[in-house]
Amino acid sequence: MLREVKEFCREHHWMTGIHEFLKAWGPQKLESMRGCPIKNYVMLVSCLNVWQTRVSNIPNKLVTKGRLMLLSCHHVQLEMESKLDSIRRDILTHVQNECRTRSQQLITELRDFTEVFQGINSDIDAIARCSQKLNEANEQYNMLEERMEYIQSLHEVIRNHFSLFSDENEALDISLLDVWEAFQFEKSQASEFLLSKRYAIVPKLQQLIAAALVELEGLIDKALSGPFMDPTQEQRSTERQLISLERQFQNTASHLSELHHAYTLQLR
């Protein structure tokens, strides 16, 4: 009788590993997986599926020879199956939330790029903004593409390992693909436009940069002369005027920075 029980326990010793996993599982485990390689999700879900099958195949009970002892596994089996199923649902919810959050964030960033590209025209300020945005897009392109591929892989995990893809998932997937294609197209169009206008843009940018520098020098001269250097002037009035001059200076300096950046890009 004792030998039969020991043999049964030896054959099902693998349940100990599952039990330890179930005890250690919690919200912090899922949080630690955020942004992890896709293979980690696949491996975890595959393990859960294998364990679920093995647990469901455990005999409900062991009756020793001579019916001297009855060893019931029913409650342990039900508890483990329930916890494994619950973890599976947790992972699905987590992956769906990851898809939603990452997709919405990437869509917002791509639309921001696209709107600037679509708004390009012969206005030099629009050209300067577009040049800077195009440079950012080129520098970030590999990272944006990696994020796009990661989201697509998360969608594949839901499709292939949970056999579930809701209307919301489908709509978000389509929306992201549409925005990505629009971003690539408008980026290409903006690049071609800037290249075609290059010889006209450079002299104009030089003129605007020179004018901005003159304006900055004028603001500095104004702040260091006249009533601002007279201690007899009313303090509050002088302070308000200086604050106004400072805002003008900052705005002009910011505009100059954009112009200079656009000019540098045109010379590459």
Side-chain angles (χ1 to χ4, degrees):
M1 177 181 70
L2 186 58
R3 187 176 65 254
E4 291 177 75
V5 173
K6 286 183 177 179
E7 182 63 26
F8 181 86
C9 291
R10 197 160 38 244
E11 290 178 0
H12 296 85
H13 186 262
W14 50 267
M15 293 175 62
T16 305
I18 300 176
H19 178 68
E20 292 300 317
F21 172 85
L22 295 176
K23 278 203 313 182
W25 183 263
Q28 71 282 358
K29 294 289 185 180
L30 268 181
E31 186 59 34
S32 68
M33 293 185 71
R34 194 177 300 280
C36 72
I38 296 298
K39 66 178 182 180
N40 292 17
Y41 287 114
V42 174
M43 289 173 61
L44 178 55
V45 175
S46 298
C47 281
L48 291 172
N49 291 340
V50 170
W51 291 344
Q52 191 93 35
T53 301
R54 295 190 72 182
V55 170
S56 65
N57 289 329
I58 298 171
N60 287 332
K61 59 186 177 182
L62 168 68
V63 181
T64 61
K65 290 180 181 179
R67 296 181 176 275
L68 293 176
M69 179 180 287
L70 170 64
L71 185 63
S72 175
C73 303
H74 182 63
H75 293 299
V76 173
Q77 185 181 42
L78 286 180
E79 183 181 359
M80 294 184 78
E81 284 182 331
S82 175
K83 287 184 177 179
L84 287 169
D85 188 56
S86 176
I87 292 173
R88 210 168 173 279
R89 289 196 304 270
D90 288 345
I91 295 170
L92 173 59
T93 300
H94 172 80
V95 174
Q96 286 177 320
N97 288 339
E98 276 281 84
C99 280
R100 186 181 307 110
T101 302
R102 290 175 180 272
S103 294
Q104 290 171 346
Q105 184 176 358
L106 185 54
I107 285 172
T108 298
E109 292 178 32
L110 293 175
R111 281 178 174 163
D112 181 52
F113 280 115
T114 302
E115 286 174 8
V116 175
F117 297 154
Q118 289 175 333
I120 193 171
N121 53 49
S122 297
D123 177 73
I124 200 67
D125 288 329
I127 287 174
R129 284 193 300 274
C130 187
S131 295
Q132 186 166 350
K133 208 66 176 176
L134 184 62
N135 186 54
E136 290 177 17
N138 287 331
E139 289 178 348
Q140 298 176 26
Y141 187 83
N142 289 339
M143 181 189 66
L144 293 170
E145 190 173 40
E146 286 176 6
R147 289 168 62 189
M148 177 73 181
E149 291 172 354
Y150 187 80
I151 295 169
Q152 293 292 298
S153 297
L154 287 174
H155 281 145
E156 289 303 310
V157 170
I158 297 173
R159 283 193 188 96
N160 298 335
H161 297 277
F162 291 95
S163 300
L164 174 68
F165 209 61
S166 66
D167 291 341
E168 180 186 0
N169 292 136
E170 191 70 42
L172 198 58
D173 191 25
I174 293 171
S175 177
L176 179 58
L177 284 171
D178 288 344
V179 171
W180 176 253
E181 290 176 3
F183 161 73
Q184 290 180 305
F185 174 77
E186 295 298 340
K187 175 175 168 292
S188 175
Q189 292 292 102
S191 181
E192 291 179 11
F193 179 87
L194 290 174
L195 189 60
S196 69
K197 299 290 184 180
R198 183 172 184 175
Y199 294 106
I201 292 172
V202 170
K204 183 64 177 177
L205 285 171
Q206 289 174 328
Q207 292 175 13
L208 290 174
I209 289 172
L213 287 171
V214 169
E215 184 178 348
L216 288 176
E217 289 175 3
L219 289 170
I220 293 172
D221 290 342
K222 186 174 182 180
L224 296 176
S225 62
F228 301 109
M229 303 301 292
D230 185 355
T232 64
Q233 294 291 318
E234 203 275 319
Q235 185 177 351
R236 289 187 178 179
S237 175
T238 302
E239 185 178 351
R240 284 195 297 269
Q241 292 179 63
L242 282 172
I243 290 173
S244 178
L245 283 176
E246 182 185 16
R247 290 200 189 105
Q248 292 179 50
F249 186 91
Q250 289 175 344
N251 291 337
T252 303
S254 177
H255 187 221
L256 175 62
S257 178
E258 290 179 0
L259 293 171
H260 183 266
H261 189 66
Y263 177 74
T264 303
L265 294 175
Q266 292 300 318
L267 295 180
R268 288 184 180 178

